[in-house]
Amino acid sequence: MKKLILLLFIVTYTNYSFGQEIMAAIESNEPDESNFSNNTILTAEDWLHNTSHKKLTYNTAVKELLLINRYDGTLECYNVNLDKQWSFTPADTLRLSNGGNQFFYKDGVVFTAYMTGYIYAINAIDGTLFWEDKVGMDQEKLHFTSQSLTPVNNKLVLTSRTNSNVYAINASNGTLAWNYSLGSPHSYEPRLIVNDIVSINNDPLINTFELATGKALYQKNFSTNLGKPATDGNLIFVPFSRGDKIVGLLPEAFEQQWEFVFDEEYYKVGDKIFVANNAVYFATETNGDESGIYCLNATDGSLTWKKTIEGDIKHFEKINETLYGYTNDKLIFSMATEDSVLKKIKVNHQPTSNIQIHNGSLYFYAKEGLITYNLKTKTEKIAIPYDGKESYSSDTQLLFIE
């Protein structure tokens, strides 16, 4: 039976036609149950090897643990007294780094990935493996960077910057559900899934796929690099990396509903954007002395408020009903969403991770190790010294399981 499918002209980066939306429909004799992958014969470069160790089981009773995904590739687990419970490092990875990949925790299971193509489902109780995957037969290639491993409908979706494939992996056992070749390795931001549709930033393009089948739906060329997408379930919000604006798009075909242009001296929103309570929050870096912190109305993109803070903002997030962030000059800032009063804390160690709040203290990672800052006594200390070999620090991830 003939049907109409969407043909995505996904070619090498040098052949992109900037400034044009590249979409077309053609007739096809493929049956409805066909494999929608455009890369069904996997080579040594893009092949995915799956190893099962034991059946994955979730356990809601796992509590009172701290997970640290160190920038040097070591995943550590501590109890709330900061006694180490276990540590995990891939044994056969030659170029070890977490690559800015963000693990995801769910009911006793940690899903994590490494730059060189390794993906793991780990038991949070003892650090043993449920399953493991390896993309490609190489060990030195940089496959995964800045990936988000949040499973949706039992699928983990990752993109490789080496072989340009999108991989949808079954979270329960690590087997390959589907794959698709993007043709370009420029997928540095986490993917977004809205209404079972996967949106992949593939600079300067966004591509969408059906989550269940991998069927390619749309592709649009934005003629610029793009930051991390965010959503309120109705619109997708995307910062332009080479420019000074945020746009609100319909998720089906990326029709623009609004745009907000921020001040000229600001740049690089990147992944410093999120949505909460019908508001889009984002932060910038600066070509001047101060960076911008913005709150927009998610429906129409109008400005609700703007704050400035000295230096380049390197991290921005929401914890409960409080916004937290820090600059490149050892300055942590916060503000409650209901009053937007900016508070500042000058610390002695440069944060390089997300922030966690536990028992009245701030926790963050620095090159010296895990740092705690008591909010009441305003005292700061190194709680767990860093014992690795790297002299730099970036992209560490912390999570208290409470």
Side-chain angles (χ1 to χ4, degrees):
M1 180 182 68
K2 288 189 176 183
K3 65 176 184 177
L4 286 177
I5 68 169
L6 196 66
L7 177 64
L8 299 171
F9 295 102
I10 307 178
V11 292
T12 60
Y13 185 80
T14 54
N15 288 334
Y16 288 149
S17 178
F18 278 76
Q20 299 178 13
E21 184 175 342
I22 311 173
M23 294 192 293
I26 65 168
E27 287 192 352
S28 170
N29 291 316
E30 294 180 3
D32 290 343
E33 64 272 20
S34 64
N35 184 339
F36 293 106
S37 173
N38 64 349
N39 186 24
T40 57
I41 302 176
L42 299 180
T43 66
E45 186 178 70
D46 48 22
W47 161 84
L48 183 142
H49 178 69
N50 169 248
T51 303
S52 177
H53 293 276
K54 57 184 176 181
K55 182 179 179 180
L56 187 149
T57 55
Y58 293 107
N59 183 356
T60 58
V62 177
K63 303 290 182 183
E64 298 187 339
L65 294 175
L66 169 63
L67 295 173
I68 303 177
N69 183 24
R70 293 189 341 195
Y71 57 92
D72 64 1
T74 300
L75 179 65
E76 298 178 323
C77 180
Y78 295 83
N79 62 22
V80 291
N81 296 319
L82 302 185
D83 300 316
K84 184 181 289 189
Q85 304 300 291
W86 53 264
S87 179
F88 175 79
T89 302
D92 56 353
T93 300
L94 298 178
R95 186 169 181 174
L96 189 58
S97 170
N98 72 13
N101 298 305
Q102 298 290 293
F103 72 75
F104 179 80
Y105 172 83
K106 178 183 178 181
D107 297 339
V109 180
V110 182
F111 298 98
T112 189
Y114 288 84
M115 289 179 68
T116 46
Y118 292 89
I119 311 163
Y120 298 96
I122 301 172
N123 189 331
I125 296 175
D126 56 13
T128 57
L129 297 179
F130 291 114
W131 56 257
E132 62 181 295
D133 286 347
K134 173 67 174 77
V135 169
M137 299 181 69
D138 55 77
Q139 289 183 314
E140 281 290 294
K141 298 296 181 65
L142 305 183
H143 283 283
F144 299 133
T145 58
S146 304
Q147 300 294 298
S148 171
L149 274 80
T150 306
V152 177
N153 292 344
N154 192 45
K155 287 185 175 59
L156 303 167
V157 180
L158 303 94
T159 56
S160 168
R161 61 183 296 178
T162 293
N163 62 44
S164 305
N165 271 262
V166 180
Y167 295 93
I169 298 167
N170 293 308
S172 57
N173 55 24
T175 56
L176 181 66
W178 54 265
N179 70 288
Y180 200 96
S181 177
L182 293 172
S184 167
H186 300 278
S187 296
Y188 305 137
E189 298 293 343
R191 85 292 177 278
L192 187 70
I193 300 177
V194 182
N195 300 327
D196 293 327
I197 303 298
V198 185
S199 297
I200 304 289
N201 283 20
N202 189 222
D203 285 341
L205 311 173
I206 292 183
N207 302 277
T208 62
F209 303 86
E210 286 184 353
L211 176 63
T213 66
K215 180 181 179 182
L217 299 176
Y218 293 99
Q219 179 191 82
K220 185 168 183 177
N221 190 330
F222 287 89
S223 304
T224 184
N225 293 347
L226 306 168
K228 184 185 81 172
T231 185
D232 63 352
N234 298 311
L235 297 178
I236 295 176
F237 312 105
V238 182
F240 283 19
S241 296
R242 293 179 181 173
D244 54 0
K245 66 181 178 180
I246 308 286
V247 296
L249 310 168
L250 289 174
E252 290 79 15
F254 311 117
E255 296 175 3
Q256 183 171 311
Q257 301 301 291
W258 57 258
E259 73 173 33
F260 177 82
V261 179
F262 48 89
D263 293 345
E264 185 177 353
E265 68 268 24
Y266 300 148
Y267 73 101
K268 197 178 181 182
V269 172
D271 61 358
K272 301 185 291 291
I273 181 172
F274 52 85
V275 182
N277 305 323
N278 196 41
V280 181
Y281 298 95
F282 69 93
T284 74
E285 297 183 31
T286 181
N287 286 318
D289 297 326
E290 296 179 324
S291 294
I293 307 167
Y294 289 85
C295 176
L296 308 181
N297 183 301
T299 302
D300 59 14
S302 59
L303 178 65
T304 303
W305 53 255
K306 173 195 170 184
K307 305 288 182 180
T308 60
I309 194 164
E310 57 272 21
D312 284 330
I313 298 174
K314 293 300 184 183
H315 181 78
F316 189 47
E317 63 180 310
K318 179 176 176 287
I319 303 175
N320 298 322
E321 293 305 314
T322 302
L323 310 179
Y324 286 92
Y326 56 79
T327 71
N328 61 343
D329 193 29
K330 302 177 183 178
L331 183 67
I332 296 176
F333 61 87
S334 66
M335 67 182 81
T337 55
E338 68 271 13
D339 59 24
S340 64
V341 176
L342 189 63
K343 300 178 182 179
K344 303 175 185 179
I345 301 172
K346 188 70 173 179
V347 292
N348 300 319
H349 303 84
Q350 177 62 49
T352 60
S353 70
N354 63 311
I355 293 171
Q356 291 281 277
I357 311 293
H358 181 71
N359 286 344
S361 291
L362 290 174
Y363 286 75
F364 60 90
Y365 214 80
K367 68 177 182 179
E368 295 84 2
L370 180 69
I371 310 300
T372 64
Y373 181 90
N374 188 295
L375 293 169
K376 183 177 181 179
T377 64
K378 304 188 185 310
T379 55
E380 181 178 348
K381 67 177 182 179
I382 302 175
I384 302 175
Y386 175 64
D387 59 1
K389 298 179 180 180
E390 301 292 348
S391 59
Y392 69 95
S393 177
S394 64
D395 298 320
T396 293
Q397 182 185 4
L398 309 178
L399 178 67
F400 273 101
I401 304 169
E402 300 176 323

